[in-house]
Amino acid sequence: MEGGKPNLALVYQAVQALYHDPNPSGKEQASVWLGELQRSMYAWEISDQLLQLKQDVESCYFAAQTMKMKIQTSFYELPPDTHNSLRDSLLTHIQNLKDLSPIIVTQLALAIADLALQMASWKGCVHTLIEKYNNDISSMPFLIEILTVLPEEVHSRSLRIGANRRTEIIEDLAFYSTTVVTLLTTCVEKTGNDEKMLIKVFRCLSSWFNLGVLDSNFIASNQLLMVLFQVLQQDETPTNLHEAASDCVCSALYAIENVDNNVGLALQLFQGVLTLETAYHMAVAREDLDKVLNYCRIFTELCETFLETTVRSPGQGMGDLRILELLLICAGHPQYEVVEISFNFWYRLGEHLYKINDAALHSIFRPYIQRLLHCLARHCQLDSDHEGIPEDTDDFGEFRIRVSDLVKDVIFLVGSMECFTQLYSTLKEGNPPWEVTEAVLFIMAAIAKSVDPENNPTLSEVLQQVVLLPESVHIAVRYTSIELVGEMSEVVDRNPRYLDPVLNYLMKGLREKPLASAAAKAIHNICSVCRDHMAQHFQGLLDIARSLDSFALSSEAAIGLLKGTALVLGRLPLEKIAECLSDLCAVQVLALKKLLAEQSTNGKLADPTVWLDRLAVIFRHTNPIVENGQTHPCQKVIQEIWPVLSQTLDTHQADNRIVERCCRCLRFAVRCVGKGSASLLQPLVTQMVSVYQVYPHSCFLYLGSILVDEYGMEEGCRQGLLDMLQALCMPTFQLLEQPNGLRNHPDTVDDLFRLATRFVQRSPVTLLSSSIIVHIIQCAIAATSLDHRDANCSVMKFVRDLIHTGVANDHEENFEVRKQLIGQAMDQHGQQLITQLMNSCCFCLPPYTLPDVAEVLWEMMTFDRPTFCRWLESALKGLPKETSGGTVTVTHKQLTDFHKQVTSAEECKQVCWAIREFTRLFR
């Protein structure tokens, strides 16, 4: 912080401005200034002084929060001889401020917990705290708060205490866990039915359950468990207390996931939860939705915990099927939010039974799934006074989508055909209200694809009846019937006689604004599945595509229709494709030309993305079967369209979004005709390089990678592509070498290394022999620490593929050259690369990136194991062995074990396991 340590009055003034300044810019300035203060060394002393002064809630909250943040992120700033005085000072503050505000107590409790976890010299902190405060009832709330957050912070991502310290702490907490439970029991005895204290006790107990350190036998016979169920059984329990008790039971059930190892506690919880059925019915009678949801959470967690027991021994002991009855009772509640809680359990049950695949077992659970499906169909009903189509973006619409997914996952237990027929018969035999009809059609649409369409009279009958629905039925019924028809495209493909009536039905929907998008999606489905049959209807599709904007379609539905049309176009005779493609593209090309003409007359830039996206989808999905030697039928059309795309790109070169859409369109055009786009290569590359010098949009790098993929193996194109790479690399390196350049431009990193990887795959010797390779490797080494999923993945893939070229395809004539060039690159960069990778793994990268790192190490080891062993040893020696809190991060034995595991690995996944375990020591 510039200008030295600020005085307290100034800090106090900034805090007041942050909370009370009516002017937003004043608040913003105060926030920025206080943020700088929090990052400075002065924050320790100033927050300590503010807490001593105890001037008001705001300044104390800011100070407590700062103290917590500093301990979490900057503990290394403090010399070890100050740790004891910091601990004593925090304990004094929490005692003095315990009545000021609960949020300040929580922040200070977190600060104390985080300090205890990092401070190796504070042995047995739980014991110390209980000894110090357990006889003073007024200190009990903050003592319990510290004991609640302490187990929660053990796995906090804000603290990198490492696996060794974490194991030590967990063992310590397990040792004192019975002392904590005894303290909580005593506390309940002393304070009786005090609601606030009971909530604190249950929250604390939950926290210890979640850490998994409680002695289940000790808990099973403890008074607290009885109190917990008494609170949940009582009708008059206040809402907040009810929620805390429910959370605690759920945590307990989760903690005994391994039922066989915790039989005593499992039995107590099992029996306890079964006693709550009456309380659930009472909550329903009182219309207390909060409590109903809590009970359903408990019943679901019970079923999740005893899932394996239930499947292993249904109806016996703790495999008692009454627990499924509890969930079905909840499924009968009129509010759909209640049944939704149980979805994950039903999905897991279905998955379990599917894997076991035992007909006798399936027959035991089938009636439960049938009842569930019945409930779900009822929950999917719209209100009888609902107007218009079903919404799929509101909460109820999202619920219906989840129902559809669940039905697809469990339908095998009931039988798709049986269920489909049963649902259809309810419509056929009765005359249900429209909302029942719509819900039944919705469930039928969910399972239509899983019914075998081969010689199936029921499916044919359904299709015949649906397309005969009169326009007078409720519009929601028509909407869902259109969705059902779209899902039955396989039936249409097997029975082409229905194609005409189906298309007529969908065309009616296409002309009505509320139904247009659903009808377009259904036509897209039919085109995708019935391509050959649809070829005769191509002219009709072309007419729709030409007048696309006369229909009230969402952009997604319009794109879907064009996709369907393009798929059918690819099935036409080759000689017709060029003309038809030209017709299909004409509307979009004319629109782009019109925009360009308007721009040149009035100077205003209009957005061309709609037309670019439509062209892109046409090119992407027009895939005719072209024999070797035949000219690609799309080649001529794409050459004709190129000038318009080039001009559009030039006009909008400053706008990243539009340039991205242009590149996407060109990418699919190049992919569509492959090497048939050769005539575009020179002008396209020239334009890309020219625009990129001024506006370095990363999509040009991506488009470059497509060109390398298509032409990189053509001898005559290699030098030109290398020149393109070098021209694109210069502005790219300038961008990435700026402060935080890699972090600020992850898309550029991603696309640069996609391009470099394509070069490695298509023309490795060209790249490895060039002067640019050194700079690309240096950039890759710097980027290995980048915590961005796509960018990091691209970097690792480049390095892995690069090294792999030194060992791959050893029968090819250029193998020795490749091997020698990779050897030179490794001699120059190998040690630096491994050191950077080890540091990135331990301190920068999330666990999901480690398999990619393992593959790089594996390739390096495959290429030259003896040298790799030396490099790895040197990299490991450079890692820090202790934390600032004085705890041992990694022992000498752990380092040598890891080195041995990696260097003696016989397959890549062994390297991955070793890295996973090793990096935990630093997390």
Side-chain angles (χ1 to χ4, degrees):
M1 197 166 195
E2 289 175 25
K5 179 185 158 190
N7 65 46
L8 279 183
L10 192 60
V11 178
Y12 183 69
Q13 198 180 330
V15 171
Q16 290 305 303
L18 181 68
Y19 287 102
H20 302 296
D21 193 328
N23 181 357
S25 70
K27 278 184 188 292
E28 180 61 29
Q29 275 180 307
S31 174
V32 170
W33 189 84
L34 289 169
E36 274 182 41
L37 170 63
Q38 286 183 316
R39 287 187 291 278
S40 75
M41 275 292 289
Y42 307 119
W44 294 103
E45 191 183 341
I46 284 172
S47 46
D48 188 51
Q49 289 172 340
L50 286 173
L51 290 166
Q52 273 174 8
L53 284 172
K54 198 178 168 181
Q55 202 152 357
D56 57 24
V57 172
E58 286 99 342
S59 61
C60 287
Y61 176 71
F62 169 75
Q65 189 199 33
T66 302
M67 200 57 102
K68 176 203 74 178
M69 200 179 86
K70 293 298 283 184
I71 290 171
Q72 277 182 350
T73 60
S74 311
F75 189 55
Y76 60 87
E77 291 177 352
L78 294 181
D81 59 3
T82 61
H83 294 174
N84 282 342
S85 58
L86 174 63
R87 175 194 62 195
D88 298 343
S89 165
L90 287 171
L91 290 172
T92 306
H93 291 321
I94 200 167
Q95 189 151 26
N96 292 340
L97 298 165
K98 63 178 184 277
D99 301 322
L100 188 60
S101 161
I103 57 170
I104 292 171
V105 170
T106 300
Q107 293 297 312
L108 287 171
L110 282 164
I112 291 163
D114 291 340
L115 177 65
L117 297 177
Q118 294 180 89
M119 186 174 154
S121 57
W122 188 0
K123 306 285 184 197
C125 64
V126 171
H127 182 68
T128 323
L129 291 166
I130 291 176
E131 284 270 286
K132 187 168 176 135
Y133 298 114
N134 77 332
N135 292 323
D136 174 16
I137 198 75
S138 70
S139 301
M140 206 53 82
F142 76 74
L143 172 60
I144 292 177
E145 188 66 31
I146 297 171
L147 294 175
T148 302
V149 297
L150 185 61
E152 290 171 353
E153 289 296 287
V154 170
H155 293 291
S156 164
R157 293 196 172 170
S158 308
L159 300 176
R160 298 185 75 96
I161 55 176
N164 288 336
R165 175 65 177 158
R166 201 167 275 114
T167 304
E168 186 188 329
I169 289 158
I170 290 171
E171 285 171 0
D172 196 46
L173 295 182
F175 182 76
Y176 290 112
S177 62
T178 51
T179 315
V180 172
V181 175
T182 306
L183 171 80
L184 296 177
T185 312
T186 311
C187 188
V188 170
E189 285 166 0
K190 283 184 183 171
T191 55
N193 290 334
D194 180 295
E195 183 193 340
K196 283 185 178 172
M197 189 52 85
L198 275 176
I199 290 173
K200 280 189 170 298
V201 166
F202 292 158
R203 270 193 59 226
C204 186
L205 188 58
S206 288
S207 178
W208 286 74
F209 270 128
N210 290 337
L211 190 62
V213 293
L214 292 179
D215 178 338
S216 67
N217 291 327
F218 181 75
I219 289 286
S221 57
N222 190 276
Q223 188 74 15
L224 269 184
L225 212 54
M226 201 172 76
V227 175
L228 202 52
F229 283 109
Q230 279 173 355
V231 164
L232 289 168
Q233 285 158 356
Q234 285 162 7
D235 183 31
E236 63 279 1
T237 298
T239 305
N240 289 346
L241 177 57
H242 196 275
E243 187 172 356
S246 302
D247 289 343
C248 191
V249 171
C250 289
S251 296
L253 286 164
Y254 187 77
I256 57 148
E257 196 90 63
N258 189 336
V259 174
D260 297 340
N261 292 355
N262 301 283
V263 176
L265 181 56
L267 192 59
Q268 291 290 332
L269 290 168
F270 190 89
Q271 291 169 343
V273 174
L274 287 177
T275 66
L276 300 178
E277 187 184 339
T278 314
Y280 168 83
H281 289 301
M282 188 59 78
V284 173
R286 289 187 181 275
E287 297 185 0
D288 189 336
L289 185 59
D290 288 336
K291 285 187 181 175
V292 166
L293 291 168
N294 286 337
Y295 289 124
C296 189
R297 280 196 300 130
I298 293 171
F299 298 157
T300 303
E301 200 64 63
L302 178 76
C303 290
E304 295 249 20
T305 295
F306 291 95
L307 172 62
E308 289 191 23
T309 314
T310 312
V311 172
R312 196 170 58 224
S313 49
Q316 297 166 29
M318 286 189 277
D320 193 331
L321 294 172
R322 276 185 301 165
I323 66 175
L324 295 186
E325 292 288 348
L326 288 177
L327 278 198
L328 288 171
I329 290 168
C330 292
H333 191 278
Q335 299 279 358
Y336 70 84
E337 295 91 342
V338 180
V339 69
E340 195 169 14
I341 290 171
S342 64
F343 278 14
N344 191 55
F345 165 74
W346 294 113
Y347 165 72
R348 279 186 61 205
L349 175 65
E351 195 177 38
H352 250 68
L353 294 171
Y354 187 77
K355 280 179 186 167
I356 293 169
N357 196 15
D358 175 336
L361 196 59
H362 287 190
S363 66
I364 294 172
F365 289 95
R366 184 171 296 120
Y368 294 96
I369 300 297
Q370 282 170 327
R371 285 164 60 196
L372 172 70
L373 291 174
H374 183 75
C375 290
L376 292 176
R378 201 177 63 252
H379 279 297
C380 283
Q381 288 174 21
L382 298 160
D383 292 334
S384 55
D385 58 355
H386 178 90
E387 292 179 4
I389 62 169
E391 288 293 332
D392 56 359
T393 50
D394 60 5
D395 288 348
F396 184 56
E398 285 177 8
F399 166 75
R400 287 185 17 137
I401 291 167
R402 288 194 67 196
V403 167
S404 176
D405 291 341
L406 178 61
V407 169
K408 286 170 187 161
D409 287 329
V410 298
I411 194 66
F412 72 93
L413 281 164
V414 179
S416 311
M417 187 61 226
E418 189 185 326
C419 184
F420 196 84
T421 310
Q422 215 173 2
L423 288 164
Y424 178 50
S425 67
T426 62
L427 299 182
K428 195 172 155 187
E429 289 157 18
N431 184 18
W434 75 263
E435 67 275 14
V436 175
T437 302
E438 191 279 333
V440 169
L441 290 172
F442 177 78
I443 300 292
M444 286 169 77
I447 57 177
K449 275 189 180 155
S450 59
V451 181
D452 182 8
E454 203 65 58
N455 301 323
N456 196 319
T458 307
L459 284 175
S460 304
E461 190 183 334
V462 168
L463 199 54
Q464 279 174 293
Q465 292 303 314
V466 166
V467 299
L468 293 174
L469 274 174
E471 290 181 29
S472 56
V473 299
H474 193 291
I475 197 155
V477 175
R478 290 179 64 204
Y479 179 90
T480 303
S481 71
I482 287 171
E483 289 194 321
L484 173 59
V485 170
E487 291 297 309
M488 294 178 75
S489 43
E490 293 275 356
V491 184
V492 180
D493 193 42
R494 304 282 162 87
N495 302 277
R497 64 184 184 280
Y498 297 134
L499 189 55
D500 283 359
V502 162
L503 288 176
N504 289 336
Y505 182 66
L506 295 177
M507 278 307 298
K508 279 184 199 165
L510 197 61
R511 292 191 188 97
E512 286 187 50
K513 187 176 178 179
L515 304 175
S517 290
K521 189 179 171 190
I523 293 171
H524 166 206
N525 282 356
I526 302 248
C527 289
S528 302
V529 175
C530 317
R531 292 186 207 185
D532 294 323
H533 299 308
M534 282 299 291
Q536 58 181 314
H537 291 278
F538 183 76
Q539 193 54 48
L541 289 171
L542 191 55
D543 292 341
I544 295 172
R546 280 176 176 152
S547 53
L548 213 48
D549 293 314
S550 66
F551 304 107
L553 298 175
S554 67
S555 57
E556 186 189 355
I559 291 284
L561 255 179
L562 286 173
K563 177 183 170 183
T565 308
L567 289 168
V568 175
L569 171 60
R571 286 291 194 269
L572 297 183
L574 274 190
E575 65 276 7
K576 286 191 173 180
I577 289 178
E579 185 192 344
C580 292
L581 177 64
S582 189
D583 287 348
L584 188 55
C585 294
V587 177
Q588 347 300 330
V589 174
L590 282 172
L592 287 172
K593 282 180 175 171
K594 190 179 169 197
L595 292 183
L596 290 166
E598 285 171 2
Q599 189 269 324
S600 63
T601 53
N602 64 20
K604 284 185 179 172
L605 288 181
D607 188 347
T609 52
V610 170
W611 312 108
L612 291 169
D613 288 350
R614 289 181 184 182
L615 278 176
V617 81
I618 294 167
F619 295 145
R620 184 177 189 176
H621 297 287
T622 303
N623 298 315
I625 298 154
V626 183
E627 303 294 330
N628 273 346
Q630 286 181 311
T631 303
H632 199 292
C634 304
Q635 186 175 322
K636 182 169 168 284
V637 182
I638 286 169
Q639 282 168 352
E640 287 167 2
I641 290 174
W642 158 247
V644 182
L645 293 177
S646 173
Q647 205 183 337
T648 303
L649 177 56
D650 211 45
T651 305
H652 296 277
Q653 58 181 273
D655 188 323
N656 183 57
R657 187 177 63 92
I658 295 174
V659 171
E660 211 163 67
R661 299 307 231 292
C662 278
C663 286
R664 188 167 172 273
C665 191
L666 286 162
R667 161 192 161 196
F668 290 125
V670 170
R671 287 293 196 206
C672 175
V673 293
K675 296 191 176 49
S677 61
S679 62
L680 303 185
L681 193 56
Q682 186 65 49
L684 174 55
V685 168
T686 305
Q687 186 171 8
M688 281 165 56
V689 168
S690 157
V691 176
Y692 194 78
Q693 305 300 316
V694 189
Y695 300 106
H697 303 300
S698 74
C699 52
F700 286 126
L701 299 170
Y702 188 91
L703 186 53
S705 74
I706 303 295
L707 296 176
V708 172
D709 195 35
E710 290 291 342
Y711 294 100
M713 295 177 85
E714 301 288 308
E715 193 58 53
C717 299
R718 284 175 174 170
Q719 188 55 47
L721 290 170
L722 181 65
D723 293 342
M724 174 194 77
L725 173 68
Q726 291 178 317
L728 293 173
C729 274
M730 289 309 137
T732 305
F733 292 151
Q734 284 171 3
L735 188 70
L736 298 180
E737 282 163 8
Q738 293 170 2
N740 289 325
L742 293 166
R743 187 170 294 283
N744 294 341
H745 303 283
D747 292 347
T748 301
V749 175
D750 183 12
D751 292 332
L752 170 68
F753 286 102
R754 275 176 196 269
L755 170 55
T757 303
R758 289 289 192 208
F759 237 114
V760 167
Q761 292 165 345
R762 294 284 174 260
S763 186
V765 176
T766 311
L767 180 63
L768 287 163
S769 312
S770 71
S771 57
I772 197 76
I773 187 64
V774 174
H775 304 288
I776 294 176
I777 293 174
Q778 285 293 352
C779 184
I781 292 171
T784 53
S785 61
L786 187 59
D787 174 9
H788 182 281
R789 189 183 287 265
D790 293 339
N792 194 280
C793 183
S794 282
V795 173
M796 295 300 176
K797 182 168 172 43
F798 163 71
V799 180
R800 182 191 69 208
D801 285 10
L802 183 75
I803 301 163
H804 188 64
T805 35
V807 292
N809 302 326
D810 54 5
H811 58 278
E812 291 179 1
E813 59 185 53
N814 67 1
F815 173 67
E816 287 303 327
V817 180
R818 280 189 279 123
K819 186 178 174 183
Q820 185 194 348
L821 289 167
I822 292 296
Q824 288 169 4
M826 285 294 94
D827 289 346
Q828 201 175 346
H829 307 285
Q831 180 65 72
Q832 188 192 357
L833 174 59
I834 288 191
T835 303
Q836 178 76 355
L837 280 173
M838 289 315 304
N839 275 293
S840 297
C841 284
C842 295
F843 304 111
C844 308
L845 298 179
Y848 65 74
T849 60
L850 298 182
D852 294 340
V853 177
E855 287 187 11
V856 173
L857 295 179
W858 176 252
E859 288 298 342
M860 292 182 79
M861 191 158 65
T862 309
F863 183 74
D864 183 350
R865 198 175 283 252
T867 311
F868 173 82
C869 294
R870 290 202 307 277
W871 286 340
L872 182 61
E873 185 182 348
S874 171
L876 294 176
K877 280 179 180 169
L879 292 172
K881 313 296 184 289
E882 271 196 10
T883 67
S884 51
T887 59
V888 174
T889 308
V890 57
T891 64
H892 179 71
K893 184 178 184 309
Q894 285 168 327
L895 285 170
T896 51
D897 285 354
F898 172 66
H899 187 276
K900 188 178 175 186
Q901 284 165 354
V902 172
T903 54
S904 63
E906 288 175 11
E907 50 184 342
C908 185
K909 64 181 176 188
Q910 293 173 320
V911 177
C912 187
W913 291 333
I915 294 179
R916 266 189 207 288
E917 286 308 308
F918 183 71
T919 53
R920 284 195 181 117
L921 300 171
F922 297 87
R923 289 188 195 284

PDB file of all heavy atoms in Angstrom, residues 191-205:
ATOM      1  N   THR A 191     -29.191 -26.062  29.112  1.00  0.00           N
ATOM      2  CA  THR A 191     -30.011 -24.973  28.553  1.00  0.00           C
ATOM      3  C   THR A 191     -31.432 -25.422  28.224  1.00  0.00           C
ATOM      4  O   THR A 191     -32.255 -24.611  27.798  1.00  0.00           O
ATOM      5  CB  THR A 191     -29.361 -24.409  27.267  1.00  0.00           C
ATOM      6  OG1 THR A 191     -29.152 -25.487  26.359  1.00  0.00           O
ATOM      7  CG2 THR A 191     -28.038 -23.743  27.564  1.00  0.00           C
ATOM      8  N   GLY A 192     -31.709 -26.722  28.343  1.00  0.00           N
ATOM      9  CA  GLY A 192     -33.074 -27.213  28.122  1.00  0.00           C
ATOM     10  C   GLY A 192     -33.527 -27.003  26.698  1.00  0.00           C
ATOM     11  O   GLY A 192     -32.816 -27.323  25.759  1.00  0.00           O
ATOM     12  N   ASN A 193     -34.719 -26.410  26.528  1.00  0.00           N
ATOM     13  CA  ASN A 193     -35.309 -26.281  25.194  1.00  0.00           C
ATOM     14  C   ASN A 193     -35.001 -24.943  24.538  1.00  0.00           C
ATOM     15  O   ASN A 193     -35.774 -24.464  23.706  1.00  0.00           O
ATOM     16  CB  ASN A 193     -36.833 -26.467  25.270  1.00  0.00           C
ATOM     17  CG  ASN A 193     -37.161 -27.913  25.587  1.00  0.00           C
ATOM     18  OD1 ASN A 193     -36.379 -28.811  25.278  1.00  0.00           O
ATOM     19  ND2 ASN A 193     -38.295 -28.140  26.238  1.00  0.00           N
ATOM     20  N   ASP A 194     -33.891 -24.310  24.907  1.00  0.00           N
ATOM     21  CA  ASP A 194     -33.515 -23.032  24.298  1.00  0.00           C
ATOM     22  C   ASP A 194     -33.299 -23.238  22.785  1.00  0.00           C
ATOM     23  O   ASP A 194     -32.385 -23.952  22.361  1.00  0.00           O
ATOM     24  CB  ASP A 194     -32.224 -22.513  24.960  1.00  0.00           C
ATOM     25  CG  ASP A 194     -31.792 -21.184  24.372  1.00  0.00           C
ATOM     26  OD1 ASP A 194     -31.457 -21.154  23.182  1.00  0.00           O
ATOM     27  OD2 ASP A 194     -31.788 -20.182  25.103  1.00  0.00           O
ATOM     28  N   GLU A 195     -34.164 -22.626  21.967  1.00  0.00           N
ATOM     29  CA  GLU A 195     -34.154 -22.887  20.518  1.00  0.00           C
ATOM     30  C   GLU A 195     -32.804 -22.559  19.879  1.00  0.00           C
ATOM     31  O   GLU A 195     -32.239 -23.344  19.126  1.00  0.00           O
ATOM     32  CB  GLU A 195     -35.271 -22.069  19.840  1.00  0.00           C
ATOM     33  CG  GLU A 195     -35.366 -22.336  18.341  1.00  0.00           C
ATOM     34  CD  GLU A 195     -36.233 -21.312  17.598  1.00  0.00           C
ATOM     35  OE1 GLU A 195     -37.050 -20.629  18.255  1.00  0.00           O
ATOM     36  OE2 GLU A 195     -36.081 -21.201  16.373  1.00  0.00           O
ATOM     37  N   LYS A 196     -32.255 -21.349  20.190  1.00  0.00           N
ATOM     38  CA  LYS A 196     -30.996 -20.924  19.566  1.00  0.00           C
ATOM     39  C   LYS A 196     -29.861 -21.883  19.895  1.00  0.00           C
ATOM     40  O   LYS A 196     -29.045 -22.217  19.034  1.00  0.00           O
ATOM     41  CB  LYS A 196     -30.644 -19.507  20.009  1.00  0.00           C
ATOM     42  CG  LYS A 196     -31.454 -18.437  19.304  1.00  0.00           C
ATOM     43  CD  LYS A 196     -30.994 -17.045  19.680  1.00  0.00           C
ATOM     44  CE  LYS A 196     -31.801 -15.992  18.921  1.00  0.00           C
ATOM     45  NZ  LYS A 196     -31.510 -14.631  19.388  1.00  0.00           N
ATOM     46  N   MET A 197     -29.830 -22.320  21.157  1.00  0.00           N
ATOM     47  CA  MET A 197     -28.740 -23.208  21.566  1.00  0.00           C
ATOM     48  C   MET A 197     -28.884 -24.590  20.909  1.00  0.00           C
ATOM     49  O   MET A 197     -27.894 -25.177  20.460  1.00  0.00           O
ATOM     50  CB  MET A 197     -28.714 -23.346  23.093  1.00  0.00           C
ATOM     51  CG  MET A 197     -27.490 -24.074  23.609  1.00  0.00           C
ATOM     52  SD  MET A 197     -25.931 -23.391  23.001  1.00  0.00           S
ATOM     53  CE  MET A 197     -25.641 -22.087  24.176  1.00  0.00           C
ATOM     54  N   LEU A 198     -30.123 -25.078  20.803  1.00  0.00           N
ATOM     55  CA  LEU A 198     -30.342 -26.373  20.150  1.00  0.00           C
ATOM     56  C   LEU A 198     -29.904 -26.320  18.678  1.00  0.00           C
ATOM     57  O   LEU A 198     -29.289 -27.252  18.165  1.00  0.00           O
ATOM     58  CB  LEU A 198     -31.817 -26.780  20.226  1.00  0.00           C
ATOM     59  CG  LEU A 198     -32.266 -27.506  21.506  1.00  0.00           C
ATOM     60  CD1 LEU A 198     -33.765 -27.755  21.472  1.00  0.00           C
ATOM     61  CD2 LEU A 198     -31.546 -28.839  21.686  1.00  0.00           C
ATOM     62  N   ILE A 199     -30.223 -25.195  18.015  1.00  0.00           N
ATOM     63  CA  ILE A 199     -29.805 -25.039  16.613  1.00  0.00           C
ATOM     64  C   ILE A 199     -28.286 -25.107  16.522  1.00  0.00           C
ATOM     65  O   ILE A 199     -27.725 -25.802  15.670  1.00  0.00           O
ATOM     66  CB  ILE A 199     -30.335 -23.704  16.016  1.00  0.00           C
ATOM     67  CG1 ILE A 199     -31.860 -23.777  15.840  1.00  0.00           C
ATOM     68  CG2 ILE A 199     -29.650 -23.385  14.691  1.00  0.00           C
ATOM     69  CD1 ILE A 199     -32.516 -22.472  15.423  1.00  0.00           C
ATOM     70  N   LYS A 200     -27.600 -24.394  17.427  1.00  0.00           N
ATOM     71  CA  LYS A 200     -26.125 -24.401  17.426  1.00  0.00           C
ATOM     72  C   LYS A 200     -25.585 -25.811  17.657  1.00  0.00           C
ATOM     73  O   LYS A 200     -24.652 -26.258  16.989  1.00  0.00           O
ATOM     74  CB  LYS A 200     -25.593 -23.456  18.512  1.00  0.00           C
ATOM     75  CG  LYS A 200     -25.615 -21.991  18.101  1.00  0.00           C
ATOM     76  CD  LYS A 200     -24.876 -21.144  19.112  1.00  0.00           C
ATOM     77  CE  LYS A 200     -24.672 -19.728  18.613  1.00  0.00           C
ATOM     78  NZ  LYS A 200     -23.851 -19.649  17.398  1.00  0.00           N
ATOM     79  N   VAL A 201     -26.192 -26.519  18.608  1.00  0.00           N
ATOM     80  CA  VAL A 201     -25.736 -27.879  18.937  1.00  0.00           C
ATOM     81  C   VAL A 201     -25.914 -28.804  17.733  1.00  0.00           C
ATOM     82  O   VAL A 201     -25.001 -29.553  17.368  1.00  0.00           O
ATOM     83  CB  VAL A 201     -26.512 -28.425  20.165  1.00  0.00           C
ATOM     84  CG1 VAL A 201     -26.317 -29.929  20.318  1.00  0.00           C
ATOM     85  CG2 VAL A 201     -26.040 -27.700  21.435  1.00  0.00           C
ATOM     86  N   PHE A 202     -27.094 -28.739  17.073  1.00  0.00           N
ATOM     87  CA  PHE A 202     -27.347 -29.622  15.920  1.00  0.00           C
ATOM     88  C   PHE A 202     -26.416 -29.283  14.754  1.00  0.00           C
ATOM     89  O   PHE A 202     -25.939 -30.166  14.054  1.00  0.00           O
ATOM     90  CB  PHE A 202     -28.812 -29.526  15.469  1.00  0.00           C
ATOM     91  CG  PHE A 202     -29.796 -30.103  16.471  1.00  0.00           C
ATOM     92  CD1 PHE A 202     -31.135 -29.721  16.476  1.00  0.00           C
ATOM     93  CD2 PHE A 202     -29.378 -31.042  17.411  1.00  0.00           C
ATOM     94  CE1 PHE A 202     -32.035 -30.252  17.396  1.00  0.00           C
ATOM     95  CE2 PHE A 202     -30.271 -31.588  18.340  1.00  0.00           C
ATOM     96  CZ  PHE A 202     -31.599 -31.190  18.330  1.00  0.00           C
ATOM     97  N   ARG A 203     -26.167 -27.979  14.552  1.00  0.00           N
ATOM     98  CA  ARG A 203     -25.248 -27.575  13.470  1.00  0.00           C
ATOM     99  C   ARG A 203     -23.842 -28.110  13.735  1.00  0.00           C
ATOM    100  O   ARG A 203     -23.149 -28.585  12.834  1.00  0.00           O
ATOM    101  CB  ARG A 203     -25.201 -26.048  13.350  1.00  0.00           C
ATOM    102  CG  ARG A 203     -26.234 -25.467  12.381  1.00  0.00           C
ATOM    103  CD  ARG A 203     -25.932 -24.011  12.059  1.00  0.00           C
ATOM    104  NE  ARG A 203     -24.618 -23.855  11.469  1.00  0.00           N
ATOM    105  CZ  ARG A 203     -23.719 -22.927  11.831  1.00  0.00           C
ATOM    106  NH1 ARG A 203     -24.006 -22.062  12.778  1.00  0.00           N
ATOM    107  NH2 ARG A 203     -22.546 -22.870  11.238  1.00  0.00           N
ATOM    108  N   CYS A 204     -23.437 -28.030  14.997  1.00  0.00           N
ATOM    109  CA  CYS A 204     -22.097 -28.497  15.379  1.00  0.00           C
ATOM    110  C   CYS A 204     -21.998 -30.019  15.175  1.00  0.00           C
ATOM    111  O   CYS A 204     -21.031 -30.527  14.600  1.00  0.00           O
ATOM    112  CB  CYS A 204     -21.812 -28.122  16.825  1.00  0.00           C
ATOM    113  SG  CYS A 204     -20.124 -28.498  17.328  1.00  0.00           S
ATOM    114  N   LEU A 205     -23.020 -30.738  15.622  1.00  0.00           N
ATOM    115  CA  LEU A 205     -23.022 -32.196  15.489  1.00  0.00           C
ATOM    116  C   LEU A 205     -22.983 -32.589  13.995  1.00  0.00           C
ATOM    117  O   LEU A 205     -22.246 -33.500  13.602  1.00  0.00           O
ATOM    118  CB  LEU A 205     -24.275 -32.772  16.164  1.00  0.00           C
ATOM    119  CG  LEU A 205     -24.347 -34.302  16.296  1.00  0.00           C
ATOM    120  CD1 LEU A 205     -23.160 -34.849  17.081  1.00  0.00           C
ATOM    121  CD2 LEU A 205     -25.662 -34.723  16.958  1.00  0.00           C
TER     122      LEU A 205
END
